[in-house]
Structures are given as structure tokens and as C-alpha cells.
Amino acid sequence: MNIERIRQPFIENFPGDFSNNPMQRNTPKVLFATIKPAGFDKPELIAFNEVLSEEIGLGKFQEKDLDFLVGNNLPENIQTYATAYAGHQFGNWAGQLGDGRAILAGEITNDAGKKTEIQWKGAGATPYSRHADGRAVLRSSVREYLMSEAMYHLGVPTTRALSLAFTGENVMRDIMYSGNPQLEKGAVVIRTAESFLRFGHFELMSAQREYNNLQELADFTIENYYPEITSTDSLKYKDFFENICTRTADLMVEWFRVGFVHGVMNTDNMSVLGLTIDYGPYSMMDEYDLNFTPNTTDLPGRRYAFGKQGQIAQWNLWQLANALHPLIKDEKFLENTLNNFGTYFWESHDQMLCKKFGLDQLRKGDEDFFTSWQGLMQELKLDYTLFFSRLESLAPDSDLKEQFKDVSYIHLNEEMLAKLSHFITTYEARLALNSISKEDSVTMIKKTNPKFILRNYLLYECIEEINTGKREMLEKLTKALENPYQELYSEFSGKRPSGYDDTAGCSTLSCSS
Ligand code: AMP
Ligand code: MG
């Protein structure tokens, strides 16, 4: 791999703490602290993303590169660092957080000039580890590696994953926070993104009243990642905030389209580039349920439930607005922009639903149609992905009982089947209003609705298998997630098997990673 191409423009641009001291501490007035990965004696490769490596300019993987994948024996050109950020967690101000388990190698530029940041997750403690160890376990690393790539191939903006390797070290974790910690295999993922900057980076600068750093960080972000912004002075920061709002709304719509629940939408897990970032206790949705949250820590309030993600994004943007206020200094503007977020989000959301149903455009009555659909989905406990995959082959004489067999998580009685049938009749009447052809409508359905989603139970099985030394399922899942709009493996395209309904790691997950 061409690791000699990696540079650290971030640390050249901002004040930092160059002590390499791992002691956990607050680091006011600086944006990062240099820190070395812990180093691991017996790394072992689990998976490597060759296509991504070539694409970002890192090139081919050779045996000797294994060290780099876990952060061992780094060359001179790589001065590694962790960045400081803050955040609101579960609605409360949490103060300084920072890269506690991520260490940045820097940035690489490919031949076409495209820049990509590279970081290890799980390679050791940093000043921001907050009494934790900076390590990651296999299960959370497999989940991040596979899901971020699955999202990419679904077409959802996301950070990506380059490699997955065992560290050869064990890590102690209490998965269910039940007082029974156990040793688990440690692993490191290398993840990449155009930038890992979060809302929390801006919140920290603002909370510490470091307005000069705040402005320089905003300027850096705009210059590097928002080339479309050409305005100057305070107008530039207004455009910046508006652009973040739009990208965030677009991202939420995409999460709704594919049925993704992030699980921990704290402001420190919100990308200023509108990327899906920090794959923790996330889940793809099996049975449609607006109230579904996979995160056991979130069960009491269900703050981050599937159906609330749009509102929560808006709440998080409020916090970002407060953070950017010293640069924008216009409350009315910020308020209007946040209100527009709601309008824009719901409009885009409904247009997205139109596409899922193969409808030409949002027409009068469609909102009621969607509401009745949501009621039907929840009452009949229908699988979100499978429901839509059945629509493309609906014919006027379809046997619905047959067609929707194995789509529900409960037995559908006659009354329920009658409701389904009534809904389909309404749907067909709506399709008849389309100004596009039947073929175009079906093409739209096929392009919008995945055939394969990376369900939690599949990840669970894959992790179990890797733990026994096998890689068959990992390889198959990788192929499946690279082609989510096709059905490559019928064994992966059904609903969640009933045996997994209450399995920890399938239906619910903790943050313990
Ligand atoms: P998360 O909820 O995973 O986004 O993490 C919240 C904060 O805790 C971030 O600052 C993380 O870097 C930090 N953190 C989480 N797990 C660990 C760990 N194992 N070691 C060090 N820091 C961690
Ligand atoms: Mg995080």
C-alpha cells in the first residue's frame, strides 16, 4: 500500500497538543492531540476492501501492510492524532468527548485529486478515551466494517471501511451491562471518509468561547468540503449552515428509505458532511415499527427510535445553530433555516415514499394513503423490506395470501388479509393515476427498494462464524451487500427467523463496543 502518500493537513492548520501524552484530560485551546496507536503483537487480517484501497490511492495490499492495518511500526510521514469534540448525548450537554477510540493517520489524495481521511478504530487509548481503553471488540468491528459498506452500496452517504483485523489481544466487555464482564477478541477497523468532522467539533469550540478556532474550523471545512459555497463574510457561514441542514435532511430521508436506525444520534455522532457516521447499536428494520430502537440504553425514552430520526436531526441542528451563532449572529435566520428543515425534510420524505411505491409524483390524497399504509404495516407486523419487494410483481389477479406469505411476523387471519386486500385495492387505484408507464413505475420500485439488507441476525451469525475461524459467511455477505438491489442469495432475503426475536445482538444491542 502507498502509505507514504498519507499527510496530515489538519494538524498543519490548527493548534494542537504535540506531547503524545495518552493521559486522559481536557485539551482547551487545541483541536487535536498527537497520539500513537498502542501497537499489537499478533495482528491477523480478517477482511480487506481492495476496491476502496485502489480508489482512494492506497493501492494494493501486500503481506507487509498488515502492520499498518492495526497501526504498528508507522513510517515517519505519519504523525497520528486524535481530535477534540464535544456533544449533546441523549439530549444533555456532555462537554468534551473527542476521538476516544479513533486515531487518525491523516489524509491521502488519489491521482484524480480526491482527498480521503484515514483512521483506525480500536487501536488504543487517546487523551479523549474518558476512562475507557480505546479498544474495540470483534463484534462491533465486524458490524462497522460490513454495515458502512452496505450503506455505501445502498447509495446512502456514509463513512467507509477499508480493513478489519484481529489485534491478537483480548478486551474485557460487559455486553449487557449486567455485571458479568467477559474477555472478547479485540479488533481494529480502518475507516475512511472525506472528513470525520462532526457537529461536536463546532460545539466544543463554541462552548469554550474559542471563536477564532471556531471560525478557522468553519473556514477549513467550507474550503475543503463545501466548494459549492462561494460567498464571503457572515453570508458564507449562513450558506454553510443551510448546506449542512440540507445534507442532513437528505441523509435522514435515505435512512427512512432503506430502514436504517442509527441508535445513538448524539450530536457527536452527526457528520457536518451529512454522512452516516459511528456504527454502534444500529439496526436495519425488520418489522415496520416507527417506535423501534435497537439501543438498550435508549429503551426508556426511545429518543432515537426509527420514526423520530427526522425530528432528532432537527434538534441536533439546533445545537449546531447555537454553536455557529457567534459566526452568523442572526437568530432570525437560524430560526427560519431550522423551520425550513422540517418542511424540506417532510416533502423529501414523502417524495421518497412515492418512489418506493412507484408513484409518479406526490398527489393530493397521497399523505392519507401513506398514513393508512403505516397503520397497516404496524398492525400486520409486516417486514419493511419484504413488503416493498412484493410490490413490483403485483398483478390485478394476485393471490395476496400467497404474495405476502412470509412477509409478516405474525399469522395473518382473514380480517387482516381483508385489510391488506383493501389497501392493495386503494394502491392500485392510486397507480392508475400515474402519468408514467407501468414499466417505469416498476423500474422505480426496483431502484428504490433493496432486495438485500444487512439484518442484525445475519451480522450476529457472521460474527459467531468468524469467532470459530471460518470466513464463508463474511465472504457471502460482502458479495450480497455489494449488490443490494439484486437477490444473489435466497437464504439472505427472507425475514428474520423467529429464533432470533429476542436474541441480544439481534433485536437489541448495547453500546458496549
Ligand atoms: P459513542 O457513543 O460510541 O459515539 O461514543 C461516545 C464517546 O465515548 C466518544 O468520545 C468515544 O470516543 C468514547 N468511547 C466509546 N467507547 C470507547 C472506548 N472503548 N474507548 C475509549 N473511548 C470510547
Ligand atoms: Mg461516537
Side-chain angles (χ1 to χ4, degrees), residues 177-312:
Y177 303 122
S178 59
N180 293 311
Q182 290 188 343
L183 283 176
E184 295 185 51
K185 285 183 181 159
V188 171
V189 167
I190 291 189
R191 55 181 190 178
T192 71
E194 192 180 6
S195 165
F196 287 97
L197 285 171
R198 301 144 192 266
F199 290 12
H201 283 97
F202 295 86
E203 288 182 274
L204 181 65
M205 296 300 104
S206 200
Q208 293 179 167
R209 296 175 190 276
E210 293 165 15
Y211 300 142
N212 203 25
N213 283 341
L214 175 72
Q215 182 163 8
E216 280 177 13
L217 184 63
D219 290 343
F220 177 89
T221 312
I222 294 166
E223 193 183 319
N224 285 287
Y225 312 119
Y226 281 93
E228 62 270 38
I229 299 178
T230 51
S231 45
T232 53
D233 306 322
S234 70
L235 195 55
K236 160 165 116 172
Y237 306 115
K238 286 182 175 175
D239 288 346
F240 180 45
F241 183 63
E242 263 179 355
N243 272 275
I244 298 175
C245 286
T246 307
R247 286 205 201 181
T248 305
D250 291 343
L251 180 68
M252 293 306 114
V253 171
E254 280 296 275
W255 287 2
F256 278 97
R257 175 174 69 84
V258 300
F260 177 79
V261 197
H262 184 284
V264 207
M265 283 179 71
N266 293 331
T267 56
D268 51 300
N269 292 337
M270 297 290 294
S271 149
V272 287
L273 303 195
L275 308 173
T276 313
I277 190 170
D278 279 11
Y279 290 83
Y282 67 80
S283 180
M284 295 303 284
M285 205 168 42
D286 297 322
E287 56 269 54
Y288 181 82
D289 178 5
L290 291 170
N291 229 351
F292 171 62
T293 174
N295 182 358
T296 49
T297 313
D298 193 29
L299 279 178
R302 295 182 185 271
R303 179 181 173 84
Y304 298 142
F306 177 68
K308 289 201 197 130
Q309 295 183 120
Q311 281 153 263
I312 288 293

Side-chain angles (χ1 to χ4, degrees), residues 85 89 97-98 100-101 129-130 132-135 173 269 278:
Y85 55 79
Q89 298 188 314
L97 300 164
R101 169 176 52 162
S129 293
R130 302 189 305 146
D133 55 11
R135 287 0 186 225
R173 288 288 184 275
N269 292 337
D278 279 11

Side-chain angles (χ1 to χ4, degrees), residues 3-205:
I3 57 180
E4 70 284 350
R5 291 174 75 158
I6 300 173
R7 295 284 177 276
Q8 295 80 33
F10 191 81
I11 73 176
E12 285 158 22
N13 268 279
F14 296 108
D17 173 336
F18 287 88
S19 65
N20 280 321
N21 180 356
M23 191 183 71
Q24 286 154 33
R25 61 193 186 275
N26 282 337
T27 57
K29 301 198 174 64
V30 301
L31 280 82
F32 64 89
T34 58
I35 191 75
K36 303 275 173 234
F40 300 99
D41 286 344
K42 293 197 186 92
E44 186 196 324
L45 183 66
I46 306 171
F48 186 78
N49 190 341
E50 282 168 37
V51 177
L52 178 63
S53 188
E54 293 283 358
E55 191 182 305
I56 64 177
L58 269 176
K60 294 226 170 340
F61 175 80
Q62 294 169 317
E63 199 90 336
K64 67 174 170 54
D65 297 319
L66 180 58
D67 263 342
F68 175 74
L69 301 191
V70 293
N72 286 347
N73 301 324
L74 296 172
E76 288 274 293
N77 66 301
I78 302 187
Q79 186 166 31
T80 55
Y81 61 102
T83 66
Y85 55 79
H88 281 82
Q89 298 188 314
F90 296 93
N92 302 306
W93 175 241
Q96 181 190 286
L97 300 164
D99 293 323
R101 169 176 52 162
I103 298 179
L104 281 131
E107 184 182 274
I108 189 162
T109 308
N110 72 6
D111 292 339
K114 184 172 171 268
K115 294 174 182 163
T116 306
E117 280 191 336
I118 297 170
Q119 68 174 218
W120 298 274
K121 190 165 176 184
T126 77
Y128 311 110
S129 293
R130 302 189 305 146
H131 312 295
D133 55 11
R135 287 0 186 225
V137 293
L138 176 73
R139 77 191 138 77
S140 66
S141 307
V142 171
R143 286 172 53 80
E144 170 124 20
Y145 181 85
L146 290 178
M147 194 66 212
S148 60
E149 284 302 298
M151 291 288 264
Y152 171 77
H153 291 286
L154 281 164
V156 183
T158 178
T159 63
R160 298 197 61 187
L162 178 74
S163 64
L164 169 65
F166 280 123
T167 57
E169 193 189 80
N170 284 331
V171 177
M172 189 73 99
R173 288 288 184 275
D174 185 356
I175 303 191
M176 294 319 289
Y177 303 122
S178 59
N180 293 311
Q182 290 188 343
L183 283 176
E184 295 185 51
K185 285 183 181 159
V188 171
V189 167
I190 291 189
R191 55 181 190 178
T192 71
E194 192 180 6
S195 165
F196 287 97
L197 285 171
R198 301 144 192 266
F199 290 12
H201 283 97
F202 295 86
E203 288 182 274
L204 181 65
M205 296 300 104

